[in-house]
Amino acid sequence: MPLRDNPCFRPGSFLVARAAPLASRCGAALAGAVRALVDREGRLIPLSLLAGAVCSVAVGLGAAHAISTPPDTLPVSEVKPGMKGYGLTVFSGTTPEKFDVEVISTLRNFRPNQDLILIKTQHPRLEVARTVAGMSGSPIYVNGKMIGAYAYGWLFGAEAIAGVTPIKSMLDELARPLPRSIAPRGGAPLPAPVSSARGAPPRTAALSGLRGGHAFRGAIDAYDLAGHAGQIAARVAPAIAPPASTGLARASTPVMLGGLGGTSLRIASDLLGPMGLDPLQAGGGSSANPEPSAPTRYVDGGAIGVELVRGDISAMGIGTVTRVAGDKLVAFGHPMMNGGVSSLPTAIARVHWILASQNRSFKIGEAVRSVGTLVNDRQAAIVVDSSAKAPIFPMRIQIDGVEGAPHPTWNVDIAHDQFMAPAFVSMAIGNAVEATTAERRDMTWRAVSQVKVGRYGTVSLVDFGAGNGTPLTADDFVRSRLVRAMGALLNNPWEDVTIERVDTRVRVTFDREVALLRGAKLLEPEIDAGAPARIRLDLQPHHGAVESRVIEVPVPRELAGSQVDIELAPGYEVERPMATPNNVAELVAMLPNQHHDAESVVATIKLRENGAAYRGQVASRLPPGAMDTLRPSSASNAPETFVAQVQVPISLKRFMVGKDTVRVAVRPILR
C-alpha cells in the first residue's frame, strides 16, 4: 500500500513507541522492521531522518529490496579513473585466479538505469585473448572492495578492455521478489491461426494469452520451433551487437555442446545464436555423477554453467560467479536470454582453456557437479538459488533396425523449459538417429514417441519419413509432431504442465517404402444409391512394376441423383475435423488424433450440410437450420463451422505420395 495509507505512518509524526502493538495493525514482519529503527538508547528515529530508506516489507513477496550498499562493495560514484585493483576468474580448472585491472572511466546510463565502468585488464592470457566470452560475471575489486562484474567488451578489439556492470545493479536483481509460480501466465489474446487443411474447422482466437520470457506467442496447434526462437531473440536483440559490428556488446555466453555433431550443431547455432548464445562443440562432463574431487559449492570468481541438457548429449552455457550471498548468488553481469523468472538447472563448471580469437575469445569448459537453479534472468545479472532443484525430465531414444550399431540407445535429461525442452528434444532425437543411421541409401523410418504428461496420462505420437541419397538428420525432427506437441503442451494458456518423461523408439528399414499414386480409376462410373464406389489405384513403388489396388468407398445414400467427387490423399495430409481445445485435457486428447494413419489413403466426400465444433465436441453433420439454433444472439462465442464431409481411411501398409480426384454418378432413387 502507499506509505501515506499505512496506519503505522502519519505525515510529520514519529513511529509508535513500541513494536509489539504494530503486530496487530501491520503484521509481525513490519513490527520486526520497526525494531531495527530504534536507537541504542531506546528512542525511535523520526521519519524525517530516514531519507533514502524504503519500507521493504511486502506481505506475500519472496524477498526485500536492499536498503543500503554492503560495506565490502564500492559504489560507482566512488570509482575514479586511474584506480587499480584486480579481478577473479578461472583460467583453468575450478580455482579462481587474479588478474590486474585499471579503471578507465564510467559510461553513465549505459543501459536503462545502469552505468558501465570501463577497465583495462592485465594478465598474460588476457594480453592474447583480450575480451573473453565466459568471463562474464568475473568480480572486479578496487581498494579491496567489489565494484561489479566483467560483462561487456568490443568485438575485434585490439586492447584488453572490458565493461563492468556495477555491483549495485546486480544486487538489485538479487533483491527482486520471486512469484510463487515460476511460469507466469496472462497477457494479450492469441492471434487466430489459419488451418492449412481443407475441410478442417478454423482455429479461433478464443484461447487466453501467454506471458513469460520463454513462452510462445501463437496458436498452440501451430507451434513452430523456429518461430519461437525468433520471438525470444527479438527480446534480447538490442543487447547483442551484430556479428560484423565493432560496438560494445555483452561478453556473450558460450554454450558448450557435447555429443552433438553434423546437422544438430547447425540447428543449435541457428536457434541459439540470435539469442546471444554462442554454441561451441566441446565436452559434456558428468555433472549428474560428479567426481569426488569436484567442488561442492560456488565461490566468487568460480565458473558456473547453466545446463540445458545433459547425458549422452549436453549443452551448458558457461560464465562466472560474481557474488555468493547465502544460498543465492549473482553471475554473468548481463542476461543469459533476458527471460525474467526462470527455472533452469545450474552446475559448478571446470574450465579447460581460454581459446584466443581475433573476433572474441571464449572459455572452453564442462559441468562437474549439478548445484542449484537459475531463478531470475535480468538485465544486470542472472540470479541462482543453490538450494533449489530445477525441473528436468528424462528422454530415452531407442533405434531399431541398424545392425551392428554400437550405440542404439541414448539417454538424456532435458531442462523443463518452454523453449529449451522442445528445442533439445528435436536435437536429441535427430542427433541420435543421424549418428546411428548414417547411410546414403534408401531408408524408411517410423518414430513412435510416448510423452508422459503429469495428471493427464501418456500421449502417443508418430513421426515418419522416407528418402534416398541423404542420411536422416536433425532437420527431419525440428518440425516433427513430437516437437510441435511438446511446444503446445508447455506453452498452453491454461495451466502449468509437467512433462514427466519422453520415450521414443525409431524403427529403420533400408528400403524406400513409398508408392507414388500414378492414377485412380472408377470401376463403375455410375452406381446405385447407397452402393460403394470401387476405385482402382495405380501405385508405383520405388523399385518394380506398377501395382494396382482396388478400394471401396461408401457413398451416402442421400447423394442419389448427383455427381459426387471423391478426393484421394495420403492419410498424413488429411486433418480430422476437431474442436479447438479449451483446456489441457482436450489438448492432450487432440494431439495424437489430428491426422489419419500415415500409411493410409483417405477418401473424402464433401456433403451439402455443415458441421460444427463447439466446446470440445464435434458434430460432423447438422440438419438445416441447426446453426441458427446453436449461434447465440447476444454473444460472439459461436460454434466453429466447416463443410460436412465423409472421410474413409484405407490402410496401405506403406506411405503414399500424390493426390487424385474421381467423380462418380449416383443413380436417382425411383419411387
Side-chain angles (χ1 to χ4, degrees):
M1 67 177 66
L3 190 65
R4 63 177 179 275
D5 297 333
N6 194 311
C8 303
F9 298 92
R10 300 295 179 214
S13 69
F14 286 75
L15 292 174
V16 181
R18 293 182 180 272
L22 290 174
S24 61
R25 302 179 66 186
C26 305
L30 184 56
V34 171
R35 290 190 189 99
L37 302 179
V38 180
D39 66 15
R40 293 183 178 181
E41 298 180 6
R43 295 174 300 189
L44 291 170
I45 303 172
L47 289 175
S48 59
L49 299 181
L50 299 179
V54 178
C55 181
S56 59
V57 178
V59 178
L61 298 182
H65 295 288
I67 293 179
S68 61
T69 302
D72 60 343
T73 65
L74 197 65
V76 175
S77 60
E78 297 182 26
V79 177
K80 306 299 181 184
M83 282 184 165
K84 294 184 178 181
Y86 66 93
L88 288 177
T89 200
V90 176
F91 290 97
S92 180
T94 58
T95 303
E97 299 178 40
K98 286 186 177 182
F99 58 93
D100 295 328
V101 304
E102 180 180 344
V103 176
I104 298 174
S105 187
T106 299
L107 300 179
R108 303 294 178 183
N109 216 26
F110 172 71
R111 290 277 180 250
N113 197 34
Q114 178 183 315
D115 298 332
L116 189 76
I117 304 166
L118 294 180
I119 61 170
K120 294 179 182 179
T121 62
Q122 295 178 340
H123 185 277
R125 193 65 201 145
L126 297 181
E127 293 300 319
V128 178
R130 302 186 182 95
T131 301
V132 179
M135 279 186 63
S136 295
S138 300
I140 307 299
Y141 301 84
V142 170
N143 294 339
K145 294 186 176 183
M146 186 181 293
I147 65 170
Y150 180 114
Y152 292 83
W154 273 268
L155 296 174
F156 306 102
E159 295 181 274
I161 294 177
V164 173
T165 298
I167 188 60
K168 172 66 165 58
S169 298
M170 300 180 70
L171 294 179
D172 285 347
E173 306 292 13
L174 182 67
R176 278 180 182 246
L178 292 174
R180 293 181 180 180
S181 172
I182 204 84
R185 291 288 189 261
L190 297 174
V194 179
S195 175
S196 60
R198 291 181 295 172
R203 307 302 187 197
T204 68
L207 305 176
S208 62
L210 300 169
R211 178 175 298 170
H214 300 170
F216 176 70
R217 293 171 176 81
I220 58 173
D221 59 344
Y223 178 82
D224 178 71
L225 185 58
H228 194 172
Q231 291 178 2
I232 298 175
R235 290 173 53 90
V236 300
I240 306 170
S245 170
T246 57
L248 185 63
R250 71 189 209 193
S252 59
T253 307
V255 177
M256 305 289 106
L257 301 177
L260 289 178
T263 310
S264 296
L265 286 173
R266 176 181 55 78
I267 290 174
S269 180
D270 291 345
L271 294 178
L272 304 180
M275 301 177 191
L277 306 176
D278 289 339
L280 304 167
Q281 192 166 18
S286 55
S287 61
N289 299 296
E291 300 174 2
S293 60
T296 59
R297 60 186 181 87
Y298 294 106
V299 295
D300 294 0
I304 184 172
V306 179
E307 293 190 291
L308 307 177
V309 60
R310 68 190 181 204
D312 288 333
I313 71 169
S314 60
M316 179 196 72
I318 191 170
T320 304
V321 175
T322 306
R323 186 179 179 91
V324 178
D327 287 337
K328 294 185 173 60
L329 64 87
V330 286
F332 285 23
H334 58 63
M336 181 172 176
M337 290 175 290
N338 205 29
V341 175
S342 302
S343 187
L344 295 173
T346 53
I348 296 170
R350 174 188 292 124
V351 176
H352 295 297
W353 186 244
I354 293 179
L355 183 64
S357 169
Q358 292 296 326
N359 180 352
R360 173 170 288 167
S361 304
F362 54 88
K363 288 185 177 182
I364 299 176
E366 63 182 10
V368 294
R369 187 185 296 275
S370 293
V371 179
T373 299
L374 190 164
V375 294
N376 225 342
D377 184 4
R378 298 291 180 178
Q379 173 181 286
I382 65 168
V383 179
V384 172
D385 187 337
S386 61
S387 65
K389 187 174 182 180
I392 60 174
F393 62 88
M395 180 177 185
R396 184 177 187 271
I397 305 161
Q398 176 67 41
I399 302 171
D400 299 330
V402 186
E403 186 177 353
H407 194 59
T409 303
W410 299 65
N411 291 283
V412 294
D413 293 326
I414 300 175
H416 198 288
D417 176 81
Q418 292 164 308
F419 170 74
M420 293 301 173
F424 281 100
V425 161
S426 71
M427 283 184 267
I429 185 173
N431 183 77
V433 173
E434 183 176 8
T436 309
T437 65
E439 299 278 354
R440 294 189 180 275
R441 52 175 168 154
D442 293 339
M443 180 187 297
T444 301
W445 59 275
R446 300 164 177 85
V448 179
S449 300
Q450 308 292 332
V451 181
K452 189 175 181 182
V453 185
R455 299 197 307 117
Y456 291 100
T458 300
V459 179
S460 183
L461 301 158
V462 179
D463 288 293
F464 50 87
N468 70 330
T470 303
L472 185 58
T473 70
D475 279 328
D476 295 282
F477 295 94
V478 169
R479 291 171 294 278
S480 66
R481 292 178 180 177
L482 170 61
V483 170
R484 297 170 80 89
M486 291 283 294
L489 287 166
L490 291 171
N491 292 275
N492 84 82
W494 305 291
E495 62 181 89
D496 295 339
V497 163
T498 300
I499 304 297
E500 296 184 353
R501 67 175 296 112
V502 178
D503 291 283
T504 298
R505 181 175 290 268
V506 183
R507 181 166 60 89
V508 176
T509 60
F510 292 100
D511 188 14
R512 196 170 183 183
E513 300 176 36
V514 177
L516 174 66
L517 179 60
R518 296 293 298 272
K521 182 179 180 180
L522 281 166
L523 298 184
E524 296 90 17
E526 190 175 29
I527 61 175
D528 293 327
R534 297 200 307 146
I535 306 170
R536 188 186 74 197
L537 304 180
D538 291 333
L539 301 170
Q540 174 67 65
H542 181 56
H543 291 297
V546 174
E547 301 173 1
S548 295
R549 170 80 181 270
V550 176
I551 63 173
E552 291 189 353
V553 179
V555 178
R557 185 178 179 84
E558 66 265 27
L559 297 179
S562 62
Q563 300 285 326
V564 178
D565 289 333
I566 303 176
E567 299 176 356
L568 303 165
Y572 56 83
E573 292 189 2
V574 181
E575 284 191 8
R576 290 187 173 99
M578 303 190 77
T580 297
N582 294 297
N583 51 54
V584 173
E586 292 178 8
L587 174 62
V588 168
M590 179 193 79
L591 287 172
N593 298 307
Q594 288 179 291
H595 294 82
H596 291 275
D597 177 16
E599 298 181 60
S600 70
V601 58
V602 176
T604 301
I605 301 173
K606 293 183 179 179
L607 306 176
R608 299 187 183 97
E609 299 92 347
N610 285 329
Y614 188 59
R615 293 184 178 177
Q617 302 298 316
V618 177
S620 58
R621 300 177 64 184
L622 295 174
M627 283 304 301
D628 294 335
T629 303
L630 292 175
R631 185 179 294 111
S633 59
S634 59
S636 60
N637 187 16
E640 307 166 38
T641 62
F642 56 92
V643 176
Q645 54 191 266
V646 174
Q647 294 180 346
V648 182
I650 299 107
S651 178
L652 295 178
K653 301 298 183 183
R654 69 174 72 181
F655 301 108
M656 188 185 82
V657 177
K659 299 179 181 180
D660 207 344
T661 301
V662 296
R663 174 170 293 181
V664 62
V666 183
R667 298 185 185 97
I669 300 174
L670 301 178
R671 301 186 182 277

